[in-house]
Amino acid sequence: MKFDTPATTNPIDQLKIVGQPVHRIDGELKTTGRAMYAYEWHDPNFSYAYGYPVGSTIAKGRIISMNVDAAKRAPGVLAVVTTLDVGKREKGKFNTAKLFGGDEIQHYHQAIAVIVAETFEQARAAAALVKVEYTEEQGRYDLAEAMDSAVKPKDAGGAPPDTAVGDFEGAFKSAEVTLDETYTTPDQSHSMMEPHASIAAWDGDELTVWTSSQMIDWWRSDLATTLGVDKEKIHLMSPFIGGGFGGKLFLRADAVLAAFGAKAAKRPVKVALPRPFLVNNTTHRPATIQRIRIGAARDGKITAIAHESWSGDQPDGQLETAAMQTRLLYAGENRMTAMRLATLHLPEGNAMRAPGEAPGLMALEIAIDEMAEKLGIDPVQFRILNDTQVDPEKPERPFSHRDLIGCLKLGAEHFSWPGQVRPGSRREGNWMIGSGVAAAFRNNLLVPSGARVRLDKEGVVTVETDMTDIGTGSYTIIAQTAAEMMGLPIDKVAVQLGDSRFPVSAGSGGQFGANCSTSGVYAACVKLRDAIVQKLGFNEQDFIFEDGQVRSGSRSVPLAEVAGAEGLVAEDTVEWEKLSDSHQQSTFGAHFVEVGVDVATGETRIRRMLAVCAAGRILNPITARSQVIGAMTMGAGLALSEELAVDTRRGFFVNHDLAGYEVPVHADIPHQEVVFMDETDPVSSPMKAKGIGELGLCGVSAAIANAIHNATGIRLRNYPMTLDKLIGALPDVA
């Protein structure tokens, strides 16, 4: 199905099941422990062995030699495979740093060996016996020091790294009120609950892998490249995933090591990366340094806006595209954005929930607040004043649907926004109280997505797609879509996900998963409906699927009867045409936060959080709310505690576990409220939906930062906003 014209009225609009608060159909499996995650997969016919990785203890250089004799003699050891054994390997399309193979070391904890033994403990003990001799080279590990050598890359995720409209420099110089500030965000870790884990089993030259992957087809393709085997010989499965946040978008070392280990040991092998490897061996969100300049007239209209950002990555790596949202979020005739990439030899930087917009809005939405304060305008009103209904860089290109103003107004009303309150003026005992606001923005990305639907003799529809569920509710919204399209109750729909033998889907990432995967299911169901109608000889313009039957005129036939003994099968892929070029598609929201800051210690406590989201049709308000409150929680962590500490001498992240990398816990998070705007976007998809899982993160941290300023009068521009950055400027304790 080519989606090239805006959606008109279709079966989804009935909203009998889609759009309703349906509880997760996989919830019982998860709460009873019957949902098998990658490392837990068990086949009684297999005798599993266990692999443990050995990581490089230098960040840059080469391996001279590896002595594995002691490891091979250790109790229970079945095989030892080193990076020197497998030799140089072709790198996968989606990997910046290589995962395994050859003598070159590109980053700390790069996988250099896997030890396979009868038990996990035996493998871990033997791994400690491997002796490695290196030639160490000087690397670069400090973004601030590398800024001057940063270069303009070829592109920024498919877009130009620089844009310019009008005369920014001239307009900024002549503006009545100006702001010129620098903001920083640190390296950050995905820190999902489930580690990267895989089980690999060979049957001759055919490989089966159970893994934790957000993108089945990407992994399968890159694993085939890395192993040097035919992609069709690999069967990859990932039915349940314990969180990813972008860290499992791309093939990681656990799958590669499991495959090599299983081949060497001639046994199925389980490999789970230890927690320190999740930080230093996989990917992370890169640090940024961002300069923002804004010029405005006294009436509050922005006349000039510029956003420059610097980030770092491995050679031939990619930007953290922190200036992207500034191209679209606010009006202003004179504009400039520029992004530069420095070469660093830290572990690979790559996508983490809302890449680009999350760190970009951490800076931009503080700058907008600062500008509102300079102008003496309420920060909510300042944002409303500078709204735009067209792409500011291409005014001829309208937004498909944009209601940022509605989000801000509804949020202000619902939150009882106090308006302009003098910073540091509200107090409850030892707590200074402040309120903050920030706009939320995330683009609506569209990726082709396929599905297959089967109708059997029992009247049950089974959906098959390699789409994944990373805790987001994919199983449920896909079941709702098929049920709505086929006129069935949801318990008459079975959903099978995360298997490379199924049609290739959008996968889970970029908040495109829900909208795109359900659109793929919609397309397959349209084909199945057509096949049923044609088989029955019904009028193709006059039929209804309802209550497990298909009706045309006075004739009604149960779907089970239509299926017959052999059943019916239909398959299709939704493909996106033209509309994403003619209309800017984005999602919007507003975050409101109230904090208390202890006047003596600088301790910050979040008291209230509200998110108002405009993201097209909400397919399931229960799962959508879960996505938003999870994102809000992550935003609280990024604002107040999360930071990967870099050892700039040796090139690694020091706090590489959940004891040192501090994420929010229950005590940190108050009751959170989420409000969804009642809207649809026919330009987006046949579902008239958009993504929402990353929108809920965008802007949260800045709203917290703005609330801290409102509480204390202290303006912080460097994340995370820990108490040591506040305590020296706090007012005297009364």
Side-chain angles (χ1 to χ4, degrees), residues 3 47 73-74 80-81 219 233 276 310 312 322 364 370 380 414 417 463 516 539 656 680:
F3 186 73
S47 175
R73 293 193 302 267
V80 176
V81 182
W219 277 58
K233 297 286 187 180
W310 292 261
L364 177 64
E370 292 195 70
V380 170
H414 197 81
W417 177 249
V463 182
C516 296
N539 182 340
H656 47 208
T680 58

Side-chain angles (χ1 to χ4, degrees), residues 181-239:
E181 296 291 352
T182 298
Y183 308 83
T184 66
T185 63
D187 297 286
Q188 296 158 348
S189 172
H190 303 86
S191 292
M192 71 293 290
M193 288 180 65
E194 181 200 26
H196 296 75
S198 296
I199 302 174
W202 290 90
D203 183 4
D205 63 350
E206 296 189 351
L207 174 65
T208 300
V209 180
W210 294 265
T211 191
S212 188
S213 163
Q214 295 177 230
M215 307 292 287
I216 298 296
D217 193 59
W218 291 5
W219 277 58
R220 185 182 179 218
S221 298
D222 278 3
L223 183 57
T225 298
T226 304
L227 297 178
V229 302
D230 184 350
K231 176 180 175 180
E232 297 306 315
K233 297 286 187 180
I234 298 177
H235 180 200
L236 196 146
M237 289 177 284
S238 190

Side-chain angles (χ1 to χ4, degrees), residues 376-670:
I377 298 175
D378 178 282
V380 170
Q381 294 304 316
F382 181 58
R383 289 169 170 85
I384 291 172
L385 182 64
N386 288 286
D387 185 53
T388 174
Q389 292 298 308
V390 298
D391 179 342
E393 295 189 350
K394 301 173 184 175
E396 71 281 1
R397 188 168 178 251
F399 284 90
S400 60
H401 191 277
R402 173 181 171 125
D403 196 9
L404 175 60
I405 290 178
C407 292
L408 288 162
K409 287 184 174 180
L410 181 60
E413 178 183 354
H414 197 81
F415 192 76
S416 299
W417 177 249
Q420 279 184 278
V421 176
R422 182 171 56 82
S425 63
R426 287 188 288 166
R427 187 93 167 257
E428 293 180 9
N430 282 344
W431 293 98
M432 298 178 287
I433 309 302
S435 300
V437 63
F441 173 95
R442 173 74 171 157
N443 273 329
N444 184 54
L445 307 178
L446 300 172
V447 179
S449 194
R452 183 163 52 236
V453 288
R454 301 179 183 273
L455 174 64
D456 67 20
K457 63 182 180 180
E458 304 298 327
V460 173
V461 168
T462 299
V463 182
E464 298 172 342
T465 171
D466 81 355
M467 180 60 185
T468 52
D469 191 323
I470 57 175
T472 48
S474 300
Y475 279 100
T476 307
I477 59 174
I478 284 173
Q480 289 176 267
T481 302
E484 193 80 75
M485 290 295 292
M486 303 309 300
L488 291 167
I490 200 164
D491 60 6
K492 283 287 189 178
V493 176
V495 179
Q496 296 184 6
L497 302 181
D499 192 315
S500 64
R501 292 176 179 173
F502 298 155
V504 176
S505 72
S508 297
Q511 80 169 19
F512 51 66
N515 185 32
C516 296
S517 67
T518 55
S519 294
V521 174
Y522 172 96
C525 287
V526 167
K527 273 200 170 181
L528 181 59
R529 287 162 59 102
D530 290 346
I532 291 169
V533 169
Q534 290 173 17
K535 182 176 180 179
L536 294 173
F538 280 1
N539 182 340
E540 294 187 5
Q541 305 301 318
D542 179 24
F543 61 86
I544 297 174
F545 284 77
E546 192 173 50
D547 299 328
Q549 303 183 61
V550 56
R551 292 198 294 271
S552 181
S554 59
R555 188 180 170 199
S556 179
V557 182
L559 292 183
E561 182 180 320
V562 183
E566 296 184 359
L568 292 173
V569 181
E571 181 178 329
D572 203 358
T573 295
V574 65
E575 298 177 344
W576 313 98
E577 303 283 338
K578 298 179 183 177
L579 294 180
S580 59
D581 295 328
S582 61
H583 291 76
Q584 173 58 41
Q585 296 190 35
S586 305
T587 60
F588 298 89
H591 289 286
F592 292 82
V593 174
E594 182 180 274
V595 303
V597 180
D598 189 285
V599 70
T601 68
E603 175 190 359
T604 298
R605 286 286 177 185
I606 299 173
R607 293 158 57 103
R608 292 192 291 146
M609 301 182 82
L610 166 68
V612 181
C613 301
R617 170 173 284 151
I618 301 302
L619 301 176
N620 183 327
I622 291 178
T623 56
R625 178 182 180 274
S626 292
Q627 282 299 286
V628 175
I629 64 172
M632 293 162 73
T633 301
M634 181 178 278
L638 300 187
L640 299 177
S641 63
E642 294 189 38
E643 175 182 17
L644 286 172
V646 182
D647 184 324
T648 56
R649 299 165 302 162
R650 302 194 61 197
F652 70 98
F653 298 123
V654 179
N655 53 335
H656 47 208
D657 55 36
L658 290 178
Y661 185 82
E662 297 181 1
V663 298
V665 295
H666 288 299
D668 297 314
I669 304 300

